[in-house]
Structures are given as C-alpha cells and as structure tokens.
Amino acid sequence: MSIRSKIFAAMKQIAEEQKVTLPPLDDELSLNETGFDSLAYAILVARLEDDLGIDPFTISEEAVFPLTVGDFVRAYENVDA
C-alpha cells in the first residue's frame, strides 16, 4: 500500500470515528475543507507515525505547514528514508 493510500485510509477512518463528513480527497483539497479539527490532525499524525515510522513535522529542520491534502501527502513522501 502506498503512502498516499495509507494516509487516505487513515483520514477516512478518523473522519468516521470523529463523525466528520469528509469530502472527496484529492491533492487540491484544502486541509481547512476536510472538516478535521486540531485533535483529528493530531490523531492522524500520531497514527501515521505508528504506521509509517515517521513524523515529517518533527524531524524536519524547516517548519512545514501543508495547506492542501497534496502538500500533506508530499510531506510524508519526501522524507529521506
């Protein structure tokens, strides 16, 4: 399963658990339009760290502020393994 697929699956699961109506996910979707609040994003990042073994937002020397779903996915895809 690709990183993108894992992220999308985790987002869908968290949306269900948090009772959030998640719009169709695509790279251009603004993170603000997902319906996630800060708790949902914290859960997402924690689960992805457990699943993928990385958190690109704490290991990066530069502050990364993704604005879209595509930016969020690329943050994980671009981590040096």
Side-chain angles (χ1 to χ4, degrees):
M1 183 181 269
S2 71
I3 289 175
R4 175 180 301 277
S5 298
K6 289 181 179 185
I7 291 171
F8 282 19
M11 290 181 80
K12 290 173 184 174
Q13 181 180 8
I14 292 165
E16 184 177 316
E17 293 168 0
Q18 299 290 314
K19 310 233 184 306
V20 170
T21 302
L22 193 63
L25 297 173
D26 67 53
D27 283 353
E28 301 305 315
L29 180 66
S30 167
L31 291 178
N32 290 331
E33 294 173 343
T34 61
F36 278 21
D37 60 13
S38 58
L39 175 60
Y41 280 112
I43 293 168
L44 177 61
V45 171
R47 286 194 187 166
L48 291 172
E49 183 173 13
D50 286 345
D51 188 32
L52 302 173
I54 55 172
D55 177 353
F57 308 107
T58 59
I59 62 174
S60 175
E61 293 181 14
E62 297 179 21
V64 176
F65 300 103
L67 300 177
T68 66
V69 170
D71 293 340
F72 188 85
V73 169
R74 282 187 292 279
Y76 282 88
E77 290 176 334
N78 293 334
V79 171
D80 293 330

